[in-house]
Amino acid sequence: MIGIVGAGITGLTLSSYLEERGEEHLVLEATERPGGVIRTTEVEGRILDHGPQRTRVTPEISLQLEQLGLESELITVPPDHPLFVCRGGELRLVPFTPAGLFRTNLLSWPGKLRVFLEPLTARWMEDETVGAFLTRKFGAEAYENLMGPLFGGLYGSDPGEMYVRHSLAGTMEGLGVSRSILWRFLQGSFNRSSAPAAISFRGGMETWIRALHESVKDRVRLSTPVEALEPGSDGRGWRLLLGDDSLEVDELVFTLPADAASELLLPVAPELGARLRMLRYNSLALVHLAGETGLHGLGYQVSYGENLRTRGVTWNASALARNGVYTAFLGGARDPGLLELSDQEIGEIARREFGQVTGAETRVLSVSRTRVPSWDRSWTVLEGIRVPRGIHLCSNYESRVGIPGRISRARAMAEELASPE
Ligand SMILES: Cc1cc2nc3c(=O)[nH]c(=O)nc-3n(C[C@H](O)[C@H](O)[C@H](O)COP(=O)(O)OP(=O)(O)OC[C@H]3O[C@@H](n4cnc5c(N)ncnc54)[C@H](O)[C@@H]3O)c2cc1C
């Protein structure tokens, strides 16, 4: 028997892959709702996502959506929609092609010339942060106005605190970058029309979770927090304490956040538990705004020099045909103090700053708070970790954060568990 702790997208997908392989298993979820950070609500008939707003469709995801019969529910983000960075109070186009890079008004001419020197610079170094690396490669102007906001925005993090080896190195490898990022860019590797499509669903991202949960629901126990762990009774496997109940498993997979995993592991694997507790998460506020703006594009990130607390805004109205909805992201590693403000204050900052940048009048529909693994320097504690026999970590702090990464990690985990040693 395999026990899976957590019914977010990773736990549910792992369940479906194990089901395909005929492996006996059970998913235990603390809350009454599957999906974890993927959560959708409806306010005044408008769909609001409080976690990911969309995802890229890899072949694995495409197959899963087809098996779940979700194709007719999909909304595809138009691949040619422009993305902007706010610099000097103005929205400026992000260049995705060599001609765009040449023409962009996001960088000064000296800033552009500095970018073109990148092939002469050396590859990343062992203890180099993403911020130091991108500044060394492309110059401070390009880092602060383009690469820093775009890369850091993925994690709500500060690239100046993230080691290349933990985060960017994997992305560069995926893009086939050996030494020069610019060279790959000039060859068209960053061309958005060749990238997998980005999608959401008519009813929001939780549509996917509901269908996935339905397909494995006999294997999922909701409202069943795992409260503690003990070694299995005959010296094999593990015993999960579930309030008045308990469950013996041969293999145990953790798909839950690092602090929750740490709490369960501390008594049985103190060193691992202590290390997981040291991983930092970034707290974010999401503010949903509503208004008829006429804006066309994916949204914008904010350059580091701006006097704004908003990190970026996704234009769901235009990218996902979402009835006047805009999602602003605030807080994160560069502004942790923001989360100490009240919801009302945070909502008002988002609304005012959105108006300042775009000229559009909106009103606040909702303010919610969430968090993401920061993948910063604290990730060195995971180097050389030893995980007890029969326990497997399968979470967005030990493998990639994005949903495509979660799905492929779940598949690899299912293969590992299903194959005899
Ligand atoms: C704001 C935000 C924006 C994002 N944007 C994108 C994006 O644009 N594109 C993209 O691809 N990805 C994005 N991501 C990342 C992606 O959504 C997440 O990495 C992914 O959904 C995490 O899923 P998970 O199942 O691994 O973990 P989680 O969703 O965290 O699920 C873990 C589950 O474990 C449960 N649990 C905790 N403790 C216990 C316990 N003791 N017993 C039982 N159950 C327990 C929790 O209740 C939860 O349901 C974003 C994430 C966030 C937060």
Side-chain angles (χ1 to χ4, degrees), residues 168-231:
L168 185 59
T171 310
M172 288 193 293
E173 206 181 301
L175 287 167
V177 172
S178 52
R179 181 163 158 173
S180 170
I181 302 171
L182 185 69
W183 179 239
R184 294 302 292 174
F185 177 79
L186 295 176
Q187 288 176 317
S189 286
F190 294 67
N191 197 328
R192 289 191 301 163
S193 52
S194 54
I199 54 108
S200 181
F201 303 83
R202 278 178 223 296
M205 292 295 286
E206 212 179 308
T207 305
W208 184 359
I209 294 295
R210 281 192 290 270
L212 184 55
H213 175 239
E214 187 60 32
S215 74
V216 290
K217 79 168 186 268
D218 295 346
R219 300 288 193 176
V220 182
R221 275 206 222 159
L222 299 176
S223 305
T224 310
V226 175
E227 291 175 356
L229 277 190
E230 285 174 359

Side-chain angles (χ1 to χ4, degrees), residues 300-313:
Y300 63 88
Q301 295 290 322
V302 175
S303 147
Y304 289 163
E306 298 302 289
N307 187 20
L308 296 172
R309 301 191 80 173
T310 304
R311 302 265 64 90
V313 183

